[in-house]
Amino acid sequence: ETVAERCEEAGKAASELHRTYLESMKGKTLEVLFEEEQDAYTVGYSREYVRVYSKGACAGEIKNVTAADIFRDGVITDITEE
């Protein structure tokens, strides 16, 4: 086994673990600091270091959201508190 093969296997394992972690966030309420606008979404990070995408928040806000589904490299959310 070469170094390149081991790196590829490690990368695949890390991606699977990340996806499993994101799946475990579905339905949970997350407190998020929204930091920037990206495409049609406001993007930030939760206390659990999950990248969060929302259409109902503004950059600079801290909001409680419900993780609805996996989206891109994080989760997409529904705002639970205004």
Side-chain angles (χ1 to χ4, degrees):
E1 205 172 24
T2 67
V3 171
E5 289 170 335
R6 287 194 304 267
C7 286
E8 184 177 337
E9 287 176 20
K12 286 179 183 178
S15 292
E16 288 175 20
L17 287 171
H18 182 66
R19 183 167 181 84
T20 299
Y21 181 63
L22 294 176
E23 286 283 347
S24 76
M25 292 291 120
K26 283 182 175 180
K28 291 187 178 178
T29 299
L30 306 172
E31 184 178 44
V32 179
L33 169 59
F34 288 98
E35 299 174 335
E36 64 179 339
E37 303 289 330
Q38 191 179 88
D39 300 323
Y41 300 95
T42 308
V43 184
Y45 285 91
S46 72
R47 290 180 180 268
E48 297 81 10
Y49 301 103
V50 173
R51 191 163 175 97
V52 177
Y53 295 83
S54 178
K55 288 193 174 184
C58 296
E61 289 184 321
I62 297 173
K63 293 258 187 191
N64 289 321
V65 300
T66 301
D69 207 354
I70 294 175
F71 182 75
R72 296 182 182 171
D73 58 343
V75 296
I76 194 160
T77 66
D78 299 318
I79 299 294
T80 57
E81 286 186 11
E82 292 301 316

